[in-house]
Amino acid sequence: MRSIFFIVFAVLFAGASKAQDQPVYTDVLVVGGTTGGIAAALQTAKMGANTVVVEHTPWLGGMLSAAAVSCTDGNHELRSGIWESFRQALYKHYKSTNLFTGWVSETCFEPHVADSIFKDWVQAQPNMKVYYHWYFDKAIMEGNTIKGAVFENVRGQKLTVYAKRVIDATDLGDVYAGAGAAYDLGTEDSTQSGEKIAPGKSDVIQDLTWAAVLKDYGKGANKTIAMPAGYNALAYYCSTADAPCNAKPYSLGTQKVLEYGRVKTTDGSLKYMLNWPAFGNDYYINVVEKKPIEREAHYNAAKNFTLGFIYFLQTELKQPQIGLATDEVNEGMAYMPYNREGRRLKGKVRLNIDHIAKPFNYNLYRTGISVGDYPVDHHHARYNGKVPPIPFPSVPSFNIPLGALIPENTQGLVVCEKGISVSNIANGTTRLQPVVLLTGQAAGMLAAISFKQNIPVQNVSVTAVQKGLLQEKVYLMPYADVKHTDKAFEAVQWIGSWGIIKGIGKSVGWANKTYFKPDSLVTFSEISAGLNALVPLKFSSTLNSSDPVTTAVLFEMIAGFNKAVAKNSKAARANKLSDSFLIADQTYTNAGLAVPALTKTLTRKEASFILFQLAKGLDYLEKDLSGAVYFK
């Protein structure tokens, strides 16, 4: 395997050497073939933009593959967009929909499978090219507009790529930092984040993990590695119930700890993701502000720390048959660290924990472009000092606002991955793999629309991005009880994104929820309040606020809404906004709904569908990045 790797490496560098001779020109440059980066690139290429990805490892997928964090966190019930496509590709590979092999996650897989899926998808895109083994060096700027980037490799060669739009898909926000965009790093106080519970300002970031993939080679095998540099057994005390311990022991035995990250295999072998937080291989190091190519030497300490944990498992915990899986990643060791936190962009908007906890108290939810359901989770056990107390508030599921992907002032740049514009606390849930994958897809949609329409990223229509994502069956609102396979999914999502009919959030352990309650009757007060928030209206005074809405009443409300929009919108008047209430019977049938009588009391899903079909005034409204609504 090692010889094959060096042959591939040499071939790649031969191509890289050729690439340095003259600049590369493209429509969209994606810096980083990471979880968010590959999603963004696939979306821009699908939309017809010539796309170049530049990645410093030989693999695609970032956290999901090259970082070997291949048991995902969250979004098991929020299956949509590229996240769902990825899961379906895993099911096809393993010939099974049961990937619940590790108890930490319902989606566990071998890292090389993720890499192969992404590379197969790239291969199918004729207008997409990937350059491997190149590190970001600097941004090419023209005033405050980014025009491309310069990259370097370990041989000192340079690669220059010019692009009309650039997507920062680096783990640590290297491109927007290089472009001069404002950002934060470390914990925040309330004046920075707008959160009363902000812990206070410091430069402390979360622990990273240099993950590994282990394999059980069977009874009698001895895969014990050499003692790594700096090994200290005390660092791993209390990591399992079987380990020596000088404090409170962990409650689960070694085998159960290994099974935390057991991944699916096709040959029946036992493989384990080694990403263990309890006195395991989390490691504190902050090299965010160093040049990307210079970080590698500093990461050796984190690699050795993981090797030390493996050596501890093999010797102190008497598991010599458990060794590095040499058929995985870089002979069992990840190609890159699992960075939980780096820079955080100061974007057009910043998502904080208050927006997540009570979304309908604000308007940002109206601009949602990806969703998540994981609780707030930070890793700080390995920091050698005092960490400000970071609360983990209970939250429902949530969405990411579009403005969190857009720098305040830098033009031509879109951001995805973990460095989007969120608070330090909120980063503890927005950083997870499925959320980042979906956010990357939205970043690609935004960049492609900006390029194709030849307008600044900041001026792209929020609703245009959202409509494009709905075509990809992406959740805008995190409604767990209306699946992407529901025939009324688009209607529920679209009406929900305007806040006309709102969901109900609930904190539920490791998989938070927002319920739409599609089969519950919708009340007059719900719809009247939702429409009034968009356009001031007066409705019939004969109805009580708690009365359920009938088909006839909803028609009357929609007529009033459309009329109010036409009164305020020249575009609506010019296009003679229709007051027709005809919906073909087949249209209802296609949505899996019965044709309602005029006197029928409507469910929330039925009302959403009728609003989606008839409330054409929405086509003449737009949302700004803050979620405020205005007339076209």
Side-chain angles (χ1 to χ4, degrees), residues 524-525 528 532 537-545 547 552-553 556-557 560:
F524 175 74
S525 63
S528 60
N532 258 304
L537 292 165
K538 286 187 178 180
F539 294 113
S540 171
S541 59
T542 62
L543 291 175
N544 296 316
S545 63
D547 286 346
V553 168
E556 180 185 345
M557 297 175 81

Side-chain angles (χ1 to χ4, degrees), residues 75-146:
N75 282 34
H76 180 67
E77 295 182 49
L78 295 175
R79 300 165 57 169
S80 73
I82 193 170
W83 165 233
E84 175 61 2
S85 298
F86 177 67
R87 287 168 61 112
Q88 291 298 326
L90 291 171
Y91 298 156
K92 182 178 180 181
H93 174 83
Y94 288 110
K95 297 180 174 59
S96 173
T97 58
N98 180 14
L99 304 183
F100 200 173
T101 48
W103 54 266
V104 69
S105 171
E106 296 184 53
T107 307
C108 290
F109 49 90
E110 297 157 291
H112 81 268
V113 175
D115 174 61
S116 66
I117 288 170
F118 293 129
K119 284 178 176 169
D120 285 346
W121 288 352
V122 168
Q123 189 67 29
Q125 293 292 341
N127 55 335
M128 188 172 175
K129 183 173 178 58
V130 181
Y131 292 83
Y132 298 97
H133 297 293
W134 290 98
Y135 293 82
F136 173 77
D137 181 27
K138 62 183 178 181
I140 301 171
M141 302 297 296
E142 188 175 289
N144 69 340
T145 301
I146 189 167

Side-chain angles (χ1 to χ4, degrees), residues 180-307:
Y183 62 87
D184 287 312
L185 180 63
T187 63
E188 299 163 323
D189 61 28
S190 58
T191 61
Q192 285 178 284
S193 69
E195 304 158 329
K196 289 183 179 179
I197 63 172
K201 187 170 177 56
S202 79
D203 60 0
V204 178
I205 63 173
Q206 290 193 61
D207 299 344
L208 60 76
T209 304
W210 199 282
V213 183
L214 303 181
K215 186 174 183 178
D216 189 333
Y217 288 90
K219 187 176 180 180
N222 187 348
K223 296 295 180 176
T224 304
I225 61 174
M227 181 188 293
Y231 174 71
N232 178 8
L234 290 172
Y236 315 105
Y237 272 32
C238 311
S239 54
T240 82
D242 308 313
C245 189
N246 49 12
K248 184 179 179 180
Y250 190 75
S251 60
L252 300 178
T254 302
Q255 186 57 39
K256 191 69 175 177
V257 166
L258 286 170
E259 289 172 358
Y260 164 90
R262 180 182 169 185
V263 298
K264 188 81 170 180
T265 61
T266 55
D267 61 4
S269 62
L270 296 177
K271 289 183 181 178
Y272 308 101
M273 172 191 74
L274 190 65
N275 173 30
W276 183 243
F279 303 102
N281 57 327
D282 280 8
Y283 189 81
Y284 185 81
I285 184 173
N286 186 344
V287 292
V288 174
E289 299 288 20
K290 294 191 178 296
K291 287 187 66 174
I293 200 168
E294 293 173 357
R295 293 180 190 135
E296 296 299 330
H298 296 274
Y299 286 145
N300 284 331
K303 295 177 190 178
N304 282 331
F305 197 75
T306 290
L307 289 170

Side-chain angles (χ1 to χ4, degrees), residues 210-475:
W210 199 282
V213 183
L214 303 181
K215 186 174 183 178
D216 189 333
Y217 288 90
K219 187 176 180 180
N222 187 348
K223 296 295 180 176
T224 304
I225 61 174
M227 181 188 293
Y231 174 71
N232 178 8
L234 290 172
Y236 315 105
Y237 272 32
C238 311
S239 54
T240 82
D242 308 313
C245 189
N246 49 12
K248 184 179 179 180
Y250 190 75
S251 60
L252 300 178
T254 302
Q255 186 57 39
K256 191 69 175 177
V257 166
L258 286 170
E259 289 172 358
Y260 164 90
R262 180 182 169 185
V263 298
K264 188 81 170 180
T265 61
T266 55
D267 61 4
S269 62
L270 296 177
K271 289 183 181 178
Y272 308 101
M273 172 191 74
L274 190 65
N275 173 30
W276 183 243
F279 303 102
N281 57 327
D282 280 8
Y283 189 81
Y284 185 81
I285 184 173
N286 186 344
V287 292
V288 174
E289 299 288 20
K290 294 191 178 296
K291 287 187 66 174
I293 200 168
E294 293 173 357
R295 293 180 190 135
E296 296 299 330
H298 296 274
Y299 286 145
N300 284 331
K303 295 177 190 178
N304 282 331
F305 197 75
T306 290
L307 289 170
F309 188 37
I310 296 169
Y311 185 77
F312 184 83
L313 285 168
Q314 293 170 330
T315 57
E316 295 283 348
L317 298 182
K318 305 189 185 316
Q319 302 288 327
Q321 80 284 1
I322 303 293
L324 285 163
T326 55
D327 57 346
E328 277 297 339
V329 204
N330 187 16
E331 297 196 344
M333 292 291 286
Y335 281 115
M336 59 182 283
Y338 175 29
N339 287 303
R340 293 180 176 87
E341 182 183 348
R343 303 178 182 92
R344 297 184 314 284
L345 178 73
K346 288 186 177 180
K348 283 293 185 180
V349 301
R350 169 161 284 188
L351 180 72
N352 68 30
I353 202 63
D354 298 327
H355 301 133
I356 291 175
K358 296 182 178 180
F360 299 116
N361 287 3
Y362 308 90
N363 290 327
L364 281 184
Y365 76 89
R366 289 178 179 162
T367 71
I369 45 80
S370 64
V371 297
D373 62 10
Y374 205 70
V376 178
D377 179 37
H378 286 239
H379 289 227
H380 287 289
R382 294 296 189 178
Y383 178 67
N384 187 23
K386 186 177 181 180
V387 180
I390 299 174
F392 292 174
S394 296
V395 295
S397 54
F398 61 91
N399 62 11
I400 303 285
L402 180 64
L405 282 58
I406 304 173
E408 286 180 312
N409 299 308
T410 307
Q411 301 294 311
L413 182 63
V414 178
V415 177
C416 60
E417 267 297 319
K418 295 176 281 287
I420 60 173
S421 183
V422 297
S423 71
N424 170 260
I425 295 177
N427 166 261
T429 184
T430 62
R431 65 178 173 81
L432 282 313
Q433 306 101 311
V435 183
V436 173
L437 196 64
L438 290 165
T439 302
Q441 184 172 16
M445 180 71 68
L446 172 61
I449 292 174
S450 172
F451 160 68
K452 293 178 74 175
Q453 295 184 1
N454 194 27
I455 57 176
V457 169
Q458 288 83 349
N459 294 351
V460 170
S461 159
V462 173
T463 57
V465 175
Q466 291 181 316
K467 286 179 178 178
L469 291 171
L470 281 179
Q471 292 299 307
E472 302 289 337
K473 293 292 186 181
V474 170
Y475 281 92

